[in-house]
Every structure is written in C-alpha cells, then in structure tokens.
Amino acid sequence: MPQNFIKEIIDEHLRTNKYGGIVHTRFPPEPNGYLHIGHAKSICLNFGLAEEYNGLCNLRFDDTNPTKEEEEYVSSIKEDIKWLGFDWEDREYYASDYFDTLYEYAVKLISKGVAYVDSLTSDEIRKYRGTPTQAGKESPYRNRPVEENLELFEKMKNGEFKDGECVLRAKIDMASPNMNMRDPVMYRIRHEFHHRTGDKWCIYPMYDWAHGQSDSIEGITHSICTLEFENHRPLYDWFIEQLEIHHPRQIEFARLNLSFTIMSKRKLLELVEGKYVTGWNDPRMPTLSAMRRRGYPPEAIRHFAERVGVAKRNQVIDVALLEHSVRENLNKNAQRVMGVLRPLKVIITNYPDNTVEELEAVNNPEDPSMGKRKVPFSKELYIEQNDFKEDPPKKFFRLAPGKEVRLRYAYIIKCEEVIKDPVSGKVIELHCSYDIDTKSGLGKSDKKVKGTIHWVSVQHAFNAEVRLYDRLFTVEDPVGDKEKDFKEFLNPDSLETLKECKLEPGLKSAKRGERFQFERLGYFCADLIDSEDGKPVFNRIVPLRDTWAKIAKAQKKN
RNA sequence: UGUCCCGUGGUGUAAUUGGCAACACGUCUGACUCUGGAUCAGAAGAGUGUAGGUUCGAGCCCUACCGGGACAGCCA
C-alpha cells in the first residue's frame, strides 16, 4: 500500500509504543444493504493495514437498529468480503454481542452523574438542541437525581415505556459548538424484534454510544471511518474517557466516489425497489455482488482500491480507472475467443463446399502457457455487421466493396459482391473470394492488409444471448443537480440484450463465472445466474479500448 | 455568520519531514502488430487556492483572507 496519512499516524504510534506495537482494525458494516465499491475501499484499507502491519482485522456488524437490519444483508456482506479475498477468521462480531456490556457501561455513566433519562419528546429534543450557530437549551429532566435515573433506565430496559416515551442521554454540554456534544442520545426505545437478540431488548444503543465502546471491547487500536464522523470524534473520545476503558484512535478518511454512478445505499435501494434495475446484483449496479456477476475479478477491485489512495479530501474517481484495472487484469488472464455479436453472413465463393478446416488459434498472446485451440472454418461465415461498410470513411481498415481484410487465424478475403434485401435495401450477405496462399502461419504470401477481423463459421456457430452494459447514468455526478432527481439521469441504453450472437463452438461449455476476451470486442463473463449448462448467457464485463471508435467520433465531429 | 475538516496538472495520489513537484489514469503523437487490443518510445499539461511572513531556501512552518465539505435523526 502506498504511503498515506493513516500509515503515518500508525507509524508514529509504533514509534511511541502507544498500543504496544499492535495494529488491530475492524470493518464495521451495518447490515442494512449490500456492499458496494465504496465499501471495498474501506475493506481493503482495514484488512490491508492489518496485513501490512502484521495485525488483525475484525468483521463487526453494526446492528444497533433492528428496524433496518436483516439477516439477508449479513450473509451477502460476508460473501462479498470473502470474494474480495479477505479473511476475518473467527473474529466475526456483532455490536449486539455487547448489548449487556453496553447496558452496564450506561449504568456506570448514570451513576457518575453524566447520563440521564430524558422524557422530552423527540420533537422537543430537536427544538432544545439549538442550531449549529445557536446554543441549545437544557432539558427540564436534565437534573434528575441519579437514583431516579437508575430506576427509570431499568424500567426502560424492562419495557415499561412505549417507543419514544423517553431516552437515555449523555450529560455533556448543551452549548457546545459541536452539535454532537449537546447531550447526545445513547439509548432509544424500540419494541422490535432483533435479528440476533430476538425479543431480549427493547432499548437499542445509538451508533455513537455503541461504536466506540465496541471498538474498545475488541481491543481495536485504529478505528478507521469516513469523514462524516470527524465531528463525532470528541464524543467518541468522551465516552471512552468517562468509562476509563481501552482507547482506540479514530481516524477519518474520504469515502470513495465514482463518476457516472451513485454510492448512497438509500438511493441504491430506491433503484432496487423501484425496479429500475433487476436487483442489488444487477450487473449495472456499483455493488460488489453486481460486479462479481458482471465478471469483475476481485483482484482488479483490490488493485483499484490501492490505486485510488487514501486521503481526507472528497474524491471523485474517474470510472476509467476502475475499467482500466479490470482490463489490465483480464488482459493477462482471460482466454481469447471469437464471437460475433451482430452477424452478417459472408460466403467465400471460391472456397470448396463441404469442407471444414480446423485452424489453430492462440488462447492468450500474453501467456503462451495457456496454449492453443482449434477453430473450425468453412465456406459460410459470420462477421460483425460493423466490420463492413459500403462506403468506408477514411482510415476504415475493415471490409468494403473491393477491399481486403484478414480473417483472424485464417485467410485474407476480398469483398466481391454485396447482396441486399430487395425490399429494405439492407445488406444481408457478402460474397467474398479468398486467397489460399494467405493462410495463417503459412508464410506463402507477402500480402499485407491493414485490418484483421473476427469471424465464426455458420455451421459450427452456436447461438447465445449476450448482454452489453454501459454506465448506469448519463452524467458524471447524478446526485449533483439539486433541481433534478438522480433517476432522471439514468442511462436508457445501460443495457442492450442481443439474442442472436454467434459464438465459436468451444464457448458452449463455458462455466458460470468463466471469463473470456471476445477478440476485438471486450471481456465477457458467463452469467452466474442465468446461464445453464450448455447454454451460457454472457455479460460484457468491459469493452476493449477502441481506437477506431475514437477516430470515428472525431470524424463525425468534423 | 458557530465548531471541525480539506484546497498540489483534466482526475486521483505522492514529494526522503524545509532542498528547484513525482507516479497512475486520462489526453495526444509515433513505432510495432494476423485483436484499431496489448506492448514500446515520446509529448502536452500544475509551479502547489490567494496575499503576506519566517528562512540561504516553503507544497511542507506562521498569519490573514478566499473557496469547498461535514454537523441541527430517538439513522449509521
């Protein structure tokens, strides 16, 4: 991991022996949604730091709000972290594991006279809190005697009050310039079933009260969280100092933002519930389960997380960096194959009928150890529709009337005749001739052509569904416009489903999750869910860099 | 007009703790190529928010200002 300000702090602690040379972090998700790429940054940071400093990283579910949290999310979160390649071993904890301890701690603070039961309504509490520029007012219940507070708190726990009737608050300073110090709520009453503690509790700790104490109980040394908790640090420290328990250091860093997508769990949930996407794992989502399904290698995400760095200023990372990381990984690892997405039939008129040649193709030019394979070639082929143009623009190196191209691993062909549909005028077939001396690897001919295109033999091709994904939003910052709802920027072309794709025969046995490079097109992954044995469905993970597209775009402009 | 945090090429992160600003992505050339991929070679692009100060010397220290962000849930 490159140098960053957190490592500097840790190094300093190590120098001064503040924590006895130990580095112990934790990743503390709330199980109220699926993990996304932003969480991946945090996971990589916390587990990565532990690894780098020979320490440990715990997984701790921050499950203090039973109204929002579900078991489904717990299991998805665990799956995603494992998939990324991190291991919390037996250190799987829950804030709810500490509810008893937290209760005792609260009693201790009440006894010390620094916490009290407030009977104001939530509305009144809000009014009494003041504003960022105006001091708040003290609650009339603020000075209840310790004994009464103890009694009331016990009754809260015993379910003798209804939801919202009272809360436990820390007694700090209603005039503090830091709003978090204006007698923050520690416990609220919720007669709710909790996914782990069931009906045992009807009072639940607030984040501020639960988090730091949980860190302390686990012996965490460095509690790394996002910037919005910076203002909470004085409170984090205050609780721990009052309790006189192990004191971890909270460090805040800037969360990840990616261009052309959103990272808010609430908004992602809105897309799911509003059926704008097919689910949390819709391959267009920025969630880890979606990226897994789309085919992103976990190593690429880890490398990406490393590249984006760690700092305190709000960052917006260009998705191009993520895509680059994915391509870089796949370029080295993905087997190359040929597939035609939008088929156009080509007949090689001078090629013998009923003949099939098995041509040798390289599986990965970046890695000879991946070997070679045979690809069948015959008189009738499919090529990509956009590899042919009737009147080719400048610098178009592909097929056009009278022009020649190389068929990858096969022959150079020349387009002799264009067959059109008499009604629509659409090009439906090309008649070409081939030059037998130009067979791949033969070296019989010195003929050179500018372009090489991919193809699939008609009689050997198998038909498959391929899904092309594009960015989910049309603008870099979908939530940046305060006038418009982010859903207005949803990209209508974010998914294109092609059902008549012609793929080379070997692909028929592709296994779920297997990744390939379809030459000249991009990287594709057999869908984890919709593929069947012998009938894979492919997701485009990411297209290849496309220089021609760039040229064409520039030409269009001029 | 409160408290806290942050301002380094288009984007993101560095800068041996004070020594003439580096790396990655992106962009643009060119080479090579049976993937317009990959690879290779190269270029453009910031003088570090602004103004002062300390110093032989400041992106790093100090002051003021400007700009951006966070905080008024019984959410996390």
Side-chain angles (χ1 to χ4, degrees), chain A residues 1-5 37-45 253-259 263 300-325:
Chain A
M1 194 184 301
Q3 191 58 21
N4 61 53
F5 78 100
I37 182 80
H39 295 110
K41 177 183 177 185
S42 175
I43 293 167
C44 293
L45 218 206
F253 73 99
R255 60 153 30 108
L256 173 73
N257 293 297
L258 252 196
S259 59
M263 229 51 107
I301 293 177
R302 291 225 250 172
H303 195 187
F304 168 75
E306 193 152 293
R307 282 204 252 229
V308 300
V310 181
K312 295 193 75 160
R313 42 179 149 154
N314 297 302
Q315 50 175 202
V316 181
I317 304 290
D318 193 338
V319 267
L321 183 60
L322 211 210
E323 290 172 352
H324 172 263
S325 300

Side-chain angles (χ1 to χ4, degrees), chain A residues 74-191:
Chain A
V74 171
S75 49
S76 79
I77 287 167
K78 291 201 284 191
E79 188 183 358
D80 288 343
I81 300 172
K82 272 188 227 153
W83 175 69
L84 273 182
F86 295 107
D87 185 5
W88 56 94
E89 298 175 306
D90 58 347
R91 299 179 311 284
E92 177 176 324
Y93 303 126
Y94 295 78
S96 56
D97 293 343
Y98 313 131
F99 281 177
D100 286 293
T101 310
L102 252 16
Y103 182 82
E104 285 165 31
Y105 282 170
V107 168
K108 186 171 170 187
L109 294 194
I110 294 170
S111 305
K112 276 184 80 171
V114 294
Y116 63 98
V117 173
D118 196 353
S119 303
L120 250 28
T121 65
S122 64
D123 224 37
E124 287 166 329
I125 288 182
R126 179 161 36 84
K127 284 177 185 137
Y128 274 71
R129 188 153 31 223
T131 70
T133 51
Q134 272 171 264
K137 277 192 305 190
E138 295 186 353
S139 164
Y141 303 99
R142 195 176 201 258
N143 293 312
R144 290 215 254 231
V146 169
E147 280 313 312
E148 187 185 343
N149 280 322
L150 251 13
E151 202 176 298
L152 254 17
F153 184 50
E154 190 168 353
K155 284 183 175 171
M156 278 173 67
K157 183 194 74 170
N158 292 340
E160 294 178 36
F161 295 110
K162 292 198 284 285
D163 285 8
E165 235 182 302
C166 51
V167 291
L168 184 74
R169 291 230 254 172
K171 191 192 282 190
I172 308 179
D173 177 8
M174 288 307 290
S176 170
N178 181 341
M179 301 282 295
N180 296 116
M181 300 301 272
R182 322 244 260 229
D183 289 12
V185 172
M186 295 165 65
Y187 275 102
R188 76 287 216 182
I189 299 171
R190 285 238 201 298
H191 291 272

Side-chain angles (χ1 to χ4, degrees), chain A residues 29-33 61-71 73 95-96 99 163 188-197 203-207 210:
Chain A
E30 183 190 10
N32 69 341
F61 290 96
D62 220 324
D63 56 349
T64 56
N65 186 353
T67 61
K68 289 187 175 175
E69 295 149 7
E70 290 171 29
E71 196 56 43
Y73 296 128
S96 56
F99 281 177
D163 285 8
R188 76 287 216 182
I189 299 171
R190 285 238 201 298
H191 291 272
E192 290 277 347
F193 184 85
H194 184 278
H195 72 109
R196 302 205 93 222
T197 60
I203 56 171
Y204 290 95
M206 298 288 290
Y207 167 85

Side-chain angles (χ1 to χ4, degrees), chain A residues 358-483:
Chain A
E358 294 286 335
L359 303 176
E360 194 166 70
V362 172
N363 285 335
N364 189 343
E366 306 291 321
D367 180 4
S369 76
M370 286 178 74
K372 295 177 176 175
R373 69 186 187 286
K374 299 284 190 190
V375 184
F377 180 88
S378 64
K379 188 183 179 86
E380 296 192 8
L381 309 169
Y382 290 117
I383 65 164
E384 209 69 61
Q385 279 169 24
N386 60 14
D387 280 339
F388 170 80
K389 266 207 160 55
E390 227 182 334
D391 19 46
K394 269 182 203 152
K395 293 189 184 169
F396 184 82
F397 303 148
R398 281 108 97 144
L399 205 54
K403 298 279 192 198
E404 291 183 305
V405 282
R406 171 171 289 284
L407 293 177
R408 176 125 236 225
Y409 299 122
Y411 302 93
I412 290 177
I413 58 166
K414 182 176 185 179
C415 177
E416 308 282 3
E417 197 183 351
V418 180
I419 313 293
K420 296 182 183 178
D421 182 302
V423 182
S424 67
K426 227 184 113 193
V427 177
I428 50 172
E429 198 173 288
L430 263 25
H431 288 183
C432 299
S433 59
Y434 87 117
D435 178 349
I436 193 165
D437 288 337
T438 60
K439 184 172 177 178
S440 194
L442 231 51
K444 265 188 159 178
S445 162
D446 302 330
K447 199 183 279 185
K448 290 268 184 209
V449 284
K450 275 279 207 180
T452 297
I453 64 174
H454 57 94
W455 51 273
V456 175
S457 163
V458 169
Q459 58 166 306
H460 302 92
F462 88 99
N463 203 81
E465 177 178 327
V466 174
R467 297 157 181 176
L468 304 182
Y469 298 101
D470 199 353
R471 23 198 76 153
L472 228 201
F473 293 93
T474 55
V475 296
E476 277 190 45
D477 181 12
V479 294
D481 192 324
K482 291 192 172 59
E483 312 287 289

